[in-house]
PDB file of all heavy atoms in Angstrom:
ATOM      1  N   TRP A  28     -17.301  28.527  14.436  1.00 88.00           N
ATOM      2  CA  TRP A  28     -17.401  28.477  12.978  1.00 88.00           C
ATOM      3  C   TRP A  28     -16.210  27.764  12.353  1.00 88.00           C
ATOM      4  O   TRP A  28     -16.355  27.027  11.394  1.00 88.00           O
ATOM      5  CB  TRP A  28     -17.580  29.880  12.402  1.00 88.00           C
ATOM      6  CG  TRP A  28     -16.372  30.759  12.588  1.00 88.00           C
ATOM      7  CD1 TRP A  28     -16.110  31.591  13.633  1.00 88.00           C
ATOM      8  CD2 TRP A  28     -15.259  30.857  11.705  1.00 88.00           C
ATOM      9  NE1 TRP A  28     -14.883  32.203  13.463  1.00 88.00           N
ATOM     10  CE2 TRP A  28     -14.348  31.783  12.274  1.00 88.00           C
ATOM     11  CE3 TRP A  28     -14.929  30.269  10.484  1.00 88.00           C
ATOM     12  CZ2 TRP A  28     -13.142  32.114  11.680  1.00 88.00           C
ATOM     13  CZ3 TRP A  28     -13.716  30.609   9.888  1.00 88.00           C
ATOM     14  CH2 TRP A  28     -12.840  31.526  10.485  1.00 88.00           C
ATOM     15  N   PHE A  29     -14.996  27.965  12.893  1.00 88.00           N
ATOM     16  CA  PHE A  29     -13.823  27.326  12.288  1.00 88.00           C
ATOM     17  C   PHE A  29     -13.876  25.811  12.470  1.00 88.00           C
ATOM     18  O   PHE A  29     -13.535  25.063  11.556  1.00 88.00           O
ATOM     19  CB  PHE A  29     -12.524  27.877  12.876  1.00 88.00           C
ATOM     20  CG  PHE A  29     -11.302  27.278  12.241  1.00 88.00           C
ATOM     21  CD1 PHE A  29     -10.940  27.613  10.947  1.00 88.00           C
ATOM     22  CD2 PHE A  29     -10.531  26.362  12.929  1.00 88.00           C
ATOM     23  CE1 PHE A  29      -9.826  27.049  10.346  1.00 88.00           C
ATOM     24  CE2 PHE A  29      -9.418  25.791  12.343  1.00 88.00           C
ATOM     25  CZ  PHE A  29      -9.064  26.136  11.048  1.00 88.00           C
ATOM     26  N   ARG A  30     -14.320  25.366  13.626  1.00 86.00           N
ATOM     27  CA  ARG A  30     -14.407  23.929  13.869  1.00 86.00           C
ATOM     28  C   ARG A  30     -15.419  23.270  12.941  1.00 86.00           C
ATOM     29  O   ARG A  30     -15.223  22.145  12.486  1.00 86.00           O
ATOM     30  CB  ARG A  30     -14.793  23.680  15.323  1.00 86.00           C
ATOM     31  CG  ARG A  30     -14.806  22.218  15.658  1.00 86.00           C
ATOM     32  CD  ARG A  30     -14.824  22.000  17.144  1.00 86.00           C
ATOM     33  NE  ARG A  30     -15.095  20.606  17.410  1.00 86.00           N
ATOM     34  CZ  ARG A  30     -15.846  20.182  18.391  1.00 86.00           C
ATOM     35  NH1 ARG A  30     -16.382  21.041  19.236  1.00 86.00           N
ATOM     36  NH2 ARG A  30     -16.056  18.906  18.564  1.00 86.00           N
ATOM     37  N   VAL A  31     -16.483  23.965  12.644  1.00 86.00           N
ATOM     38  CA  VAL A  31     -17.514  23.419  11.763  1.00 86.00           C
ATOM     39  C   VAL A  31     -17.063  23.467  10.298  1.00 86.00           C
ATOM     40  O   VAL A  31     -17.308  22.539   9.531  1.00 86.00           O
ATOM     41  CB  VAL A  31     -18.851  24.162  11.967  1.00 86.00           C
ATOM     42  CG1 VAL A  31     -19.879  23.748  10.937  1.00 86.00           C
ATOM     43  CG2 VAL A  31     -19.378  23.901  13.380  1.00 86.00           C
ATOM     44  N   LEU A  32     -16.368  24.531   9.906  1.00 86.00           N
ATOM     45  CA  LEU A  32     -15.961  24.677   8.502  1.00 86.00           C
ATOM     46  C   LEU A  32     -14.629  24.002   8.164  1.00 86.00           C
ATOM     47  O   LEU A  32     -14.316  23.845   6.988  1.00 86.00           O
ATOM     48  CB  LEU A  32     -15.880  26.159   8.139  1.00 86.00           C
ATOM     49  CG  LEU A  32     -17.217  26.886   8.084  1.00 86.00           C
ATOM     50  CD1 LEU A  32     -17.001  28.347   7.722  1.00 86.00           C
ATOM     51  CD2 LEU A  32     -18.154  26.227   7.099  1.00 86.00           C
ATOM     52  N   ARG A  33     -13.853  23.594   9.158  1.00 83.00           N
ATOM     53  CA  ARG A  33     -12.533  22.998   8.898  1.00 83.00           C
ATOM     54  C   ARG A  33     -12.592  21.810   7.943  1.00 83.00           C
ATOM     55  O   ARG A  33     -11.769  21.724   7.027  1.00 83.00           O
ATOM     56  CB  ARG A  33     -11.869  22.609  10.217  1.00 83.00           C
ATOM     57  CG  ARG A  33     -10.483  22.078  10.016  1.00 83.00           C
ATOM     58  CD  ARG A  33      -9.766  21.690  11.271  1.00 83.00           C
ATOM     59  NE  ARG A  33     -10.478  21.947  12.491  1.00 83.00           N
ATOM     60  CZ  ARG A  33      -9.961  21.773  13.682  1.00 83.00           C
ATOM     61  NH1 ARG A  33      -8.731  21.363  13.816  1.00 83.00           N
ATOM     62  NH2 ARG A  33     -10.669  22.004  14.765  1.00 83.00           N
ATOM     63  N   PRO A  34     -13.537  20.868   8.082  1.00 78.00           N
ATOM     64  CA  PRO A  34     -13.572  19.764   7.116  1.00 78.00           C
ATOM     65  C   PRO A  34     -13.857  20.219   5.685  1.00 78.00           C
ATOM     66  O   PRO A  34     -13.341  19.634   4.740  1.00 78.00           O
ATOM     67  CB  PRO A  34     -14.703  18.871   7.631  1.00 78.00           C
ATOM     68  CG  PRO A  34     -14.761  19.166   9.078  1.00 78.00           C
ATOM     69  CD  PRO A  34     -14.444  20.626   9.192  1.00 78.00           C
ATOM     70  N   LEU A  35     -14.667  21.252   5.525  1.00 79.00           N
ATOM     71  CA  LEU A  35     -14.922  21.764   4.186  1.00 79.00           C
ATOM     72  C   LEU A  35     -13.637  22.338   3.589  1.00 79.00           C
ATOM     73  O   LEU A  35     -13.305  22.068   2.427  1.00 79.00           O
ATOM     74  CB  LEU A  35     -16.018  22.830   4.219  1.00 79.00           C
ATOM     75  CG  LEU A  35     -16.358  23.478   2.879  1.00 79.00           C
ATOM     76  CD1 LEU A  35     -16.861  22.440   1.885  1.00 79.00           C
ATOM     77  CD2 LEU A  35     -17.376  24.576   3.067  1.00 79.00           C
TER      78      LEU A  35
END
Side-chain angles (χ1 to χ4, degrees):
W28 67 269
F29 182 72
R30 184 165 169 218
V31 172
L32 291 180
R33 184 179 357 186
L35 178 61

